[in-house]
Amino acid sequence: MLKWLLPVFLLGVVTSALAQKKGQALIDSLQQVLPKLQNDQKKVNTLNSLSYELRRFNPDTGFYYARQALQLAQSIGSKSGEAEANRLAGVNLYRLAEYAQALDYHEKASSLFEAINDKKGLAANLNNTGNIYLAQSDLPKALACYQKALPINESIGNTQEVANNLNNIGNIYYSTGENQAALENYLKVQPIYEKLGNEANSALTLGNIGTAYQRLGDFPRALGYFQKALAMYEKMEDESGQAGCFASIGNVYFDLRDFNQALGYYQKALLIGERLEDKPGQATNLNSIGSVFYNLSNYNKSLEYHERSLAIYEKIGYQDGIAANLANIASVYQKQGKIQNSLDFFQKSLTIYEAIGSKYGQAVAWNSIGQNYAALSNFPLAMSSQQRALKISQESKDLANEQLVWNDLSMLYEKQGDYTAAYKAYKNYITLRDSIQGQSIKKEITRREIQFEFDKKEATYQLNQRLTDEQLQKQVLLAKQRSQQLLLSSQQLALSNKEKDLQRLAFLKEQAEKQEKEKQLTLVEREKQLQAAELRTMTQEAALQQATIRARQQERNILIVGAGLLILALFFIYRNFSNQRKSNRLLSAEKQKSDNLLLNILPTEVADELKDKGSATARQFDDVTVLFTDFVKFTTISETLSPTALVAEIDHCFRAFDAIIGKYEMEKIKTIGDAYLAVSGLPTTDPLHAQKAIMAAREICEWVADPNNRSKFEIRIGLNSGPVVAGIVGVKKFAYDIWGDTVNTAARMEQNSAAGKINISGSTYALVKDDFAFVHRGKIEAKNKGAIDMYFLET
């Protein structure tokens, strides 16, 4: 399984510092100065400075100071202060993942900056807005913001912000899988920050360059850049940056399949993220740890971490993270043999990756979907999926994905008996794999990692413990021994893989040659068959000539017999006419039966339209009430019954439900296992749809609870009112169905109901509150809906 991750580094807007002090020292200084200021404009500027400095360490407090600055700026009529306060409020809300509210503040800031012709502020605000769109995976809007900010900063000579814009444009290209373009932008940025002496942004850019090199398969350079970034963050005491470096180094070890090393780095990063309450960082590292456990075959642990990561990403609305975890969960199901579950999750992931334009995600998703179809022996769909994965990987120059696709294609061709194609595909796989993961790479990475750890330890010991030369030599010796052990292990693994590769290539080549010989033999056999066919044709032509002569002799006899046959034919025509009339009567009776059967499946209006036009148009119904029922503890009870008894019991209940639904002029839609779905108010509109649905639900509850009906189940019911779309789906075994958020909310009402209870939504309550008695349950959390009002019907 490939690890589905996002770039760990993301460079945001950086404005100039107000003094040489940085971090907490500057915050303390500003807080001491603030109460002493008499000038209101200076107070506004100081409040804004505090908001900016707190954005990474304490965004809640940063937002508070921005609000204070905004109120004061408005009271004294300071448009520049008001514009900057709106911008910084948005920046702090972005850090809190409150994206919608942050965008509102940035929109106000943009209008103010334009009104006062503040180009620097306008460009910074555009960059901040682009960061929010990037966090929401709206890549086109993010790119548009950065590209709009870039020429403004260039026109005013703002080198710092030009670098920020270039870096963020690189981030967009990275997210869409255009790795070379991303690297080119990052490399333009790094010398600018070094020249400016901006250590924080320089460290971020080093991390971004490392991430791009990693995606391009250049692991030694990737690790080198991550280590440089980590050293800078440790010097600056920036824990957030250190967490990003730990996670990125873990990614390199993951790609090299050193999973224990990777796990250690991810856990370091996760601890920092939890301490800093960095939700995106926590989600990224939970996802990475889940991928490690997957590769260690601990699938239950893997699911646990991916589900935790998915929950955070769904809460903050980060589509790229949602897609990554859906794909990883699908991979776990694939390993567990739950192929249909795996396909479903991969399809959901692919839909998101296509929507946000991630070529990397699309390539890996298509590759995995192809693997699932191969497991189901659906080779045509498996082949088309792998071909799409190959095309996307080659277009984005993603060598890591491409080599995996070639390997899967090789196995797919082999299963279908095409050994020549299998041989060629496997050769491509080996060539790519060796080019991106050779032994020189592992040797270089091991050397760099040990050297970095040793350098760091050496500096620490010299400062704090004054290591002796003898102790220093021991550390060097231990490092060399570890390097030699890792090198020997990697060489042994390489030799083993080489031997397996040679064996597989030899087998595929042998099979391909054998297949080619069989084709040649088949051609010879076909030539013999063709000659035999030509001889038979000549014989048949001679026989045809003899038959023609005999036919002319028979023509006279045929004319004589023809007259008699004509009389006989007239007799049969009359008899067929009589039989046809009888058949028409039978067909009319059968047509009536089929019409009755159609009316039992579809509403009358829909059935008539289907007969007249051959199809039925889906319709929007604005006011209906949807009813969902479900049996409580169905699985537990069903295990105590035989299959025949279980079906009989469900049929017994559903027949009663059908009668009740018909009594209240509702439309039954379908049953799904032990669930029953019906709707009131369509296909004929009914102003009392909600009241009728409530009465039907109450009667169903009473029927189930009545001991005379001998129902073995308890039931819970949910209702919701609103608009739906209804129509026919499918060609074979077609069905009349309904769709829309109203249906989804009704399902959530049923899921949050209780045994023997009828749970309704606020929209239904508003329609029937004067007709029935209810108990307000308050706002209850519903899956994918948030907290919504729910009510129990009093019985």
Side-chain angles (χ1 to χ4, degrees):
M1 176 181 77
L2 287 178
K3 191 164 71 302
W4 304 60
L5 292 177
L6 306 165
V8 174
F9 295 91
L10 175 63
L11 181 60
V13 167
V14 180
T15 57
S16 58
L18 295 181
Q20 297 300 315
K21 299 178 181 178
K22 295 182 179 180
Q24 189 59 48
L26 178 56
I27 294 170
D28 293 341
S29 175
L30 291 170
Q31 287 175 331
Q32 290 173 5
V33 168
L34 182 62
K36 302 175 184 178
L37 294 174
Q38 301 297 320
N39 184 284
D40 286 340
Q41 183 61 55
K42 290 183 178 180
K43 284 184 180 180
V44 170
N45 295 340
T46 303
L47 287 167
N48 279 331
S49 297
L50 277 167
S51 176
Y52 170 75
E53 293 299 331
L54 286 163
R55 76 198 185 286
R56 294 185 65 190
F57 308 105
N58 192 343
D60 280 311
T61 306
F63 178 63
Y64 167 78
Y65 280 119
R67 291 285 298 161
Q68 293 293 312
L70 181 60
Q71 291 174 5
L72 182 56
Q74 288 172 336
S75 69
I76 66 173
S78 172
K79 295 299 181 183
S80 61
E82 183 181 352
E84 184 67 2
N86 274 297
R87 185 181 78 83
L88 291 170
V91 169
N92 282 281
L93 287 169
Y94 159 74
R95 292 284 178 177
L96 294 168
E98 298 289 346
Y99 301 132
Q101 194 176 356
L103 284 173
D104 288 340
Y105 278 101
H106 283 303
E107 185 176 352
K108 294 174 184 176
S110 182
S111 298
L112 288 165
F113 282 129
E114 287 180 347
I116 62 177
N117 196 29
D118 184 346
K119 292 183 178 181
K120 182 177 180 180
L122 178 61
N125 195 64
L126 283 167
N127 200 49
N128 296 141
T129 306
N131 289 345
I132 296 174
Y133 284 127
L134 182 58
Q136 293 178 314
S137 299
D138 193 339
L139 304 184
K141 286 185 178 180
L143 184 60
C145 288
Y146 298 143
Q147 290 177 333
K148 189 175 180 181
L150 180 59
I152 298 175
N153 284 316
E154 289 174 336
S155 70
I156 61 176
N158 191 342
T159 308
Q160 170 85 34
E161 295 303 328
V162 167
N164 290 348
N165 296 149
L166 287 170
N167 191 86
N168 287 336
I169 291 170
N171 289 341
I172 298 295
Y173 286 130
Y174 181 97
S175 296
T176 58
E178 298 172 76
N179 304 311
Q180 190 60 44
L183 179 61
E184 289 170 2
N185 277 273
Y186 295 148
L187 290 173
K188 290 178 184 177
V189 172
Q190 181 58 23
I192 298 176
Y193 284 136
E194 287 185 355
K195 185 176 180 180
L196 292 171
N198 190 327
E199 291 184 345
N201 285 10
S202 184
L204 282 167
T205 309
L206 287 169
N208 283 342
I209 294 171
T211 304
Y213 274 124
Q214 180 189 352
R215 181 69 71 81
L216 290 168
D218 192 340
F219 299 125
R221 286 188 181 179
L223 187 56
Y225 276 99
F226 290 145
Q227 289 168 345
K228 289 179 183 178
L230 180 58
M232 292 185 71
Y233 281 124
E234 289 178 336
K235 179 182 175 182
M236 293 185 290
E237 298 181 354
D238 185 338
E239 286 194 298
S240 178
Q242 292 173 44
C245 290
F246 287 141
S248 296
I249 294 171
N251 291 345
V252 175
Y253 279 113
F254 186 100
D255 287 341
L256 292 170
R257 306 191 67 77
D258 190 345
F259 299 118
N260 289 323
Q261 279 273 44
L263 181 61
Y265 281 105
Y266 291 146
Q267 288 172 333
K268 288 181 183 179
L270 179 60
L271 286 173
I272 295 174
E274 290 174 341
R275 185 162 62 249
L276 298 179
E277 296 184 359
D278 177 6
K279 295 299 182 184
Q282 291 175 43
T284 297
N285 288 295
L286 287 168
N287 179 43
S288 300
I289 293 172
S291 297
V292 169
F293 281 122
Y294 170 92
N295 282 277
L296 295 175
S297 300
N298 191 339
Y299 301 126
N300 290 333
K301 273 283 186 185
S302 180
L303 273 178
E304 174 191 337
Y305 278 93
H306 286 311
E307 287 170 351
R308 286 172 62 189
S309 177
L310 178 62
I312 295 174
Y313 278 132
E314 286 180 336
K315 186 174 181 179
I316 66 178
Y318 191 25
Q319 295 302 307
D320 217 342
I322 294 170
N325 279 279
L326 288 171
N328 284 332
I329 291 170
S331 296
V332 175
Y333 283 134
Q334 188 180 56
K335 277 292 185 182
Q336 292 177 329
K338 301 175 182 179
I339 302 302
Q340 192 55 55
N341 287 351
S342 179
L343 267 174
D344 292 342
F345 274 83
F346 274 128
Q347 291 287 1
K348 292 177 183 178
S349 173
L350 177 62
T351 299
I352 296 175
Y353 278 128
E354 288 177 337
I356 65 178
S358 172
K359 292 183 180 179
Y360 173 75
Q362 292 172 49
V364 183
W366 277 118
N367 173 237
S368 302
I369 289 170
Q371 292 172 355
N372 279 328
Y373 280 127
L376 295 173
S377 298
N378 189 336
F379 298 127
L381 283 179
M383 184 63 70
S384 65
S385 298
Q386 295 294 2
Q387 292 291 353
R388 295 184 73 168
L390 181 63
K391 181 180 179 182
I392 296 171
S393 297
Q394 290 174 335
E395 287 175 349
S396 60
K397 295 181 174 56
D398 190 341
L399 301 182
N401 279 345
E402 185 182 348
Q403 58 110 3
L404 292 176
V405 175
W406 279 121
N407 188 38
D408 287 331
L409 280 170
S410 172
M411 291 186 287
L412 194 56
Y413 284 128
E414 184 180 352
K415 288 179 180 179
Q416 297 178 91
D418 189 346
Y419 292 100
T420 302
Y423 174 70
K424 292 178 180 178
Y426 199 67
K427 282 187 68 176
N428 289 337
Y429 159 68
I430 291 173
T431 302
L432 278 176
R433 187 199 63 191
D434 290 345
S435 70
I436 65 176
Q437 203 173 4
Q439 293 310 307
S440 60
I441 292 175
K442 278 219 170 186
K443 180 178 179 181
E444 176 67 10
I445 286 176
T446 302
R447 187 191 69 75
R448 286 173 179 262
E449 173 63 9
I450 292 173
Q451 185 63 45
F452 174 73
E453 292 293 335
F454 173 73
D455 289 344
K456 188 169 70 173
K457 289 177 182 177
E458 180 186 25
T460 303
Y461 290 148
Q462 286 177 343
L463 286 172
N464 300 323
Q465 299 180 16
R466 302 186 182 280
L467 253 178
T468 65
D469 290 341
E470 182 181 352
Q471 290 171 321
L472 186 60
Q473 289 301 320
K474 287 182 180 179
Q475 292 294 326
V476 173
L477 180 61
L478 287 173
K480 288 182 177 178
Q481 289 174 344
R482 180 171 177 265
S483 176
Q484 292 170 354
Q485 290 170 353
L486 287 173
L487 179 59
L488 179 61
S489 175
S490 64
Q491 288 174 339
Q492 291 172 343
L493 180 61
L495 288 173
S496 175
N497 288 335
K498 288 279 185 184
E499 184 177 349
K500 290 178 182 178
D501 291 340
L502 289 172
Q503 290 175 353
R504 177 164 169 77
L505 282 171
F507 168 75
L508 291 174
K509 187 174 182 181
E510 179 185 351
Q511 293 298 319
E513 291 173 350
K514 181 180 178 182
Q515 200 171 54
E516 186 63 28
K517 289 178 181 179
E518 289 175 351
K519 288 181 180 178
Q520 295 297 328
L521 290 173
T522 301
L523 288 174
V524 173
E525 184 63 29
R526 286 181 178 176
E527 181 65 26
K528 291 180 180 179
Q529 292 174 355
L530 183 59
Q531 292 174 356
E534 289 177 351
L535 181 60
R536 286 195 299 271
T537 301
M538 294 173 63
T539 303
Q540 289 171 356
E541 286 177 351
L544 182 60
Q545 291 176 356
Q546 293 295 325
T548 301
I549 295 171
R550 289 194 298 271
R552 288 174 180 174
Q553 293 173 350
Q554 293 173 355
E555 284 179 359
R556 186 185 305 168
N557 297 333
I558 291 172
L559 289 172
I560 297 171
V561 176
L565 292 175
L566 179 60
I567 297 170
L568 187 61
L570 290 172
F571 168 74
F572 281 116
I573 290 171
Y574 174 76
R575 191 178 67 176
N576 287 341
F577 177 74
S578 299
N579 291 339
Q580 185 65 43
R581 292 177 64 187
K582 185 184 294 182
S583 297
N584 287 341
R585 289 195 295 271
L586 292 173
L587 286 172
S588 178
E590 290 300 319
K591 182 177 181 300
Q592 185 61 42
K593 291 181 181 178
S594 67
D595 286 346
N596 292 338
L597 180 60
L598 189 63
L599 290 173
N600 194 40
I601 299 172
L602 304 173
T604 303
E605 294 85 349
V606 177
D608 290 342
E609 183 180 0
L610 188 63
K611 287 189 292 183
D612 292 342
K613 299 179 180 179
S615 62
T617 304
R619 289 181 55 197
Q620 168 89 19
F621 294 91
D622 294 325
D623 298 295
V624 302
T625 298
V626 179
L627 177 148
F628 259 106
T629 78
D630 184 55
F631 292 130
V632 179
K633 298 180 181 178
F634 175 81
T635 302
T636 303
I637 296 172
S638 63
E639 289 174 352
T640 65
L641 302 174
S642 68
T644 302
L646 177 61
V647 172
E649 178 62 24
I650 295 173
D651 180 64
H652 171 60
C653 295
F654 283 175
R655 283 176 179 270
F657 295 1
D658 288 346
I660 295 169
I661 291 301
K663 174 181 175 182
Y664 291 100
E665 300 177 328
M666 295 177 65
E667 188 69 34
K668 174 184 176 182
I669 300 301
K670 59 185 174 182
T671 61
I672 311 165
D674 63 316
Y676 187 100
L677 171 62
V679 61
S680 179
L682 66 76
T684 302
T685 56
D686 188 344
L688 298 177
H689 58 89
Q691 288 83 352
K692 289 181 179 180
I694 291 285
M695 291 188 287
R698 183 165 59 189
E699 191 164 330
I700 288 173
C701 273
E702 291 171 353
W703 186 92
V704 172
D706 188 349
N708 294 326
N709 293 321
R710 303 186 304 283
S711 173
K712 293 181 171 58
F713 301 111
E714 291 183 286
I715 196 167
R716 61 186 177 212
I717 300 178
L719 293 95
N720 181 46
S721 301
V724 299
V725 174
I728 295 176
V729 294
V731 176
K732 295 183 179 180
K733 298 183 180 179
F734 56 80
Y736 186 73
D737 209 343
I738 58 175
W739 305 271
D741 189 63
T742 300
V743 181
N744 297 334
T745 304
R748 298 293 179 264
M749 292 300 105
E750 175 270 318
Q751 291 166 2
N752 287 278
S753 187
K757 292 290 187 178
I758 299 168
N759 188 33
I760 71 168
S761 66
S763 60
T764 304
Y765 173 77
L767 297 174
V768 299
K769 61 184 179 181
D770 297 326
D771 302 315
F772 304 91
F774 296 94
V775 176
H776 185 210
R777 304 175 65 192
K779 289 186 179 293
I780 297 176
E781 193 73 22
K783 183 179 180 182
N784 297 331
K785 295 293 179 184
I788 55 179
D789 287 305
M790 298 187 189
Y791 304 81
F792 272 149
L793 176 69
E794 285 191 348
T795 56

